[in-house]
Amino acid sequence: MKLSKLYTNRPEIFTDIEFDQGLNVVLAEIRLPENRDRDTHNLGKSTVGRLLDFGFLAKRDARFFLFKHFDRFSDFVFFLEIELGDGSYVTVRRSVADASRVAFKKHFLRHQDFSRSLEREWDHYDVPFERARDLLDSYLGLHFLKPWHYRKLLGYFLRSQEDYGDVFQLRRFAGAHSEWKPALAHILGFDGALVEEQYAKEEELEKEETKAATIRQELGPEASDLAKIDGMLLLKKKEAERKQAEVDAFDFRRQDKADTKDLADSVDVQIASLNARRYSLMANRKKITTALQEDQILFDPEDAAELFSETGVLFAGQIKKDFEQLIAFNKAITEERRGYLEEERQEIDADLRSINSELSSLGKRRSDALAFLSETDLFAKYRKNSNDLVTLRADIASLERQRDALHRLQDLRSKVRGLKEENARLVGEIETNVEAQSAADDSLFSRIRLYFNEIVEEVIDAKALLSVRVNQEGHLDFSAELLNAAGNATSADRGFSYKKLLCIAFDLAILRAHLSEEFPRFAYHDGVFESLDDRKKENLLEVIRRYNALGLQSIITLIDSDLPKTSDGEMVFDPGEVVCILHDEGDDGRLFRMPPW
């Protein structure tokens, strides 16, 4: 798969771009001196890549310039001609006004113009967006990528300026790692399906753990013992059966006996005990209150000095100072003691409130029991026992719900244990696969590694290492590092220019390693020479030309100030390699010959 042509229905505004099989250059010339020091020039150099992505059916984004400035582009229709692996072509038609409907036409001659073709002349017309993506995927026939869609990995061959920040994680991969790591692992020669399965298993595990946590929270700590709940349920059911039998038979003798025993053995004893406890607490509280009232220092040195002065006795100087220090010391002790006493009184008050509440409850229980025992009206006892039966059944229903929830919790715990074991097995298999592919000299990953290092070494005379490992969470970590003379990783790859070089080397190495398979054969790199010195630019251009000779297509964009400075001052590109020239001398020099937006 290569790019063949990009054009629109408005050739007077957008000039057709016809791509060559090898090197294709989009060159922006800064001809006006006042523009040479500007960072951006709005000529459309980087826009070419965005339009290619639009032709490859990128999803509609309100921030995308075609839709952000819809009033300017609403009447544009874009056509992308793609060369397929068998030498035929497919043209994708997509309009701005109705970007969710797509048309396709397959043909056998390159550089065609279907901008005026009628609807009946297209093989497929007005195809809904998602179906259009699947249809284009089948046209492209990139079988090596299966089961992943062509768009999953397209970003590695359409690198924008925003995609040079990380070799592996593209800007479009802002979501979960599970969205892109399995596919990347696959094209690097690892078992991507295994990686995808592990992510799916981990997601399932998290969902089941969340369900279990929710049930635990709903049950609360007191309802976590299934054996205890089963026992309580058994007793409650037995009691309900007895109650029902008594109500059916109008026989309440057992209840009378039970209430009498409960009054004698339980209620009265508890009331007496609580009353004794309350008496003791109230006595202690009274002592504390008295102590707090007595802890007052009534002696005032100022009043004493005035009294002594009236009687002619000297009370000043050291004597007064000693009294003041003594009073301060006693105040400190008293305040600390008052604090302890206040705390103790507060605790006593809380205990008293609790005891009073419990006594009130026991008193009502005692009163109800006495009323039941003294009640001669059988219908009143019937109503009382019927109400008790309703309460029992409500308790039984609640306990059964708790028991069912605990059974579900046990099932979930069992499932979680199983999922953890499966996840651990998958992580182990991934580790085995990574180790095997990394160690094998003839593996696809080893070839990509060698090509990657070869490109970097040829451009900057430094070795580079591509590596993959399984981290502590059981996920793949990809890394690309520059090595120093001792073979240790350096921080040079953190600079933007070297990071960009690593991205370009990675993309080219992948393409070369897959030359024998049904795989993309092109790479688009925006601003390819920016930030590199002239010698490294020449080296990189040599690498690109060599890869073109292998059968790969390159589309690169640059401004003329980034061109390598040759000794003879000649143009480094052949005329046929420059497929689009942009300049800053008016609107005619822009990609879209219109005022900037």
Side-chain angles (χ1 to χ4, degrees), residues 85-149:
D86 62 0
S88 63
Y89 300 84
V90 63
T91 293
V92 183
R93 178 192 185 275
R94 190 181 187 191
S95 69
V96 176
D98 195 4
S100 62
R101 316 296 287 192
V102 185
F104 298 93
K105 184 175 181 61
K106 190 170 182 181
H107 50 98
F108 296 93
L109 296 176
R110 72 188 279 110
H111 296 167
Q112 296 297 294
D113 185 351
F114 299 117
S115 60
R116 290 176 177 81
S117 296
L118 300 176
E119 178 179 338
R120 67 175 180 271
E121 296 178 275
W122 292 86
D123 298 332
H124 302 275
Y125 196 86
D126 203 30
V127 181
F129 185 72
E130 291 301 329
R131 182 166 163 247
R133 278 187 160 189
D134 292 338
L135 188 56
L136 181 55
D137 193 35
S138 66
Y139 271 124
L140 297 178
L142 303 176
H143 299 299
F144 182 83
L145 295 182
K146 302 306 177 188
W148 290 278
H149 199 270

Side-chain angles (χ1 to χ4, degrees), residues 122-374:
W122 292 86
D123 298 332
H124 302 275
Y125 196 86
D126 203 30
V127 181
F129 185 72
E130 291 301 329
R131 182 166 163 247
R133 278 187 160 189
D134 292 338
L135 188 56
L136 181 55
D137 193 35
S138 66
Y139 271 124
L140 297 178
L142 303 176
H143 299 299
F144 182 83
L145 295 182
K146 302 306 177 188
W148 290 278
H149 199 270
Y150 75 94
R151 288 224 39 107
K152 186 70 74 173
L153 297 161
L154 185 66
Y156 294 109
F157 316 118
L158 278 176
R159 285 265 188 182
S160 67
Q161 291 284 0
E162 292 83 3
D163 290 323
Y164 291 128
D166 191 285
V167 175
F168 311 99
Q169 187 168 5
L170 305 174
R171 175 177 50 90
R172 67 187 69 194
F173 295 152
H177 287 187
S178 58
E179 293 297 314
W180 59 274
K181 280 190 175 182
L184 179 58
H186 174 69
I187 65 169
L188 287 175
F190 300 104
D191 191 339
L194 194 62
V195 176
E196 187 171 56
E197 185 183 357
Q198 190 268 327
Y199 272 113
K201 193 67 65 178
E202 189 174 65
E203 183 180 358
E204 185 182 0
L205 173 60
E206 289 175 359
K207 287 180 180 178
E208 298 303 321
E209 286 181 329
T210 301
K211 290 179 185 177
T214 302
I215 292 176
R216 282 197 301 269
Q217 187 175 5
E218 290 174 353
L219 285 171
E222 69 281 355
S224 59
D225 189 340
L226 183 59
K228 183 177 178 181
I229 288 177
D230 284 336
M232 291 173 62
L233 193 56
L234 179 65
L235 295 177
K236 291 277 186 180
K237 285 182 176 179
K238 194 65 177 176
E239 178 67 16
E241 289 175 4
R242 282 198 298 264
K243 285 273 185 187
Q244 186 65 59
E246 290 171 357
V247 167
D248 292 343
F250 258 71
D251 183 0
F252 307 114
R253 289 173 298 172
R254 190 194 65 82
Q255 185 65 42
D256 290 345
K257 183 178 178 182
D259 286 348
T260 302
K261 189 174 187 305
D262 184 51
L263 274 176
D265 295 347
S266 178
V267 177
D268 286 342
V269 172
Q270 290 183 59
I271 290 175
S273 175
L274 288 172
N275 279 325
R277 173 68 177 154
R278 181 169 62 176
Y279 175 80
S280 175
L281 288 171
M282 291 180 68
N284 288 339
R285 190 182 189 284
K286 184 175 182 180
K287 291 179 182 178
I288 290 171
T289 302
T290 302
L292 288 170
Q293 291 173 350
E294 291 175 351
D295 281 345
Q296 296 182 15
I297 299 174
L298 303 178
F299 183 81
D300 186 348
E302 296 297 335
D303 293 343
E306 184 177 350
L307 178 63
F308 275 66
S309 176
E310 291 174 356
T311 58
V313 178
L314 182 63
F315 186 83
Q318 186 61 41
I319 297 175
K320 183 181 179 183
K321 183 178 180 181
D322 289 345
F323 269 99
E324 288 174 344
Q325 289 176 346
L326 179 61
I327 291 170
F329 176 72
N330 278 279
K331 277 184 177 181
I333 295 175
T334 301
E335 286 301 319
E336 185 176 3
R337 183 169 179 267
R338 287 178 66 86
Y340 291 135
L341 291 173
E342 286 288 356
E343 286 182 12
E344 189 174 353
R345 184 164 66 177
Q346 290 174 8
E347 290 176 1
I348 290 173
D349 288 342
D351 287 346
L352 286 172
R353 285 193 296 270
S354 176
I355 288 172
N356 288 334
S357 175
E358 196 169 351
L359 281 170
S360 177
S361 175
L362 288 169
K364 186 177 184 309
R365 182 175 161 190
R366 186 173 185 273
S367 175
D368 291 345
L370 288 172
F372 185 85
L373 290 172
S374 60

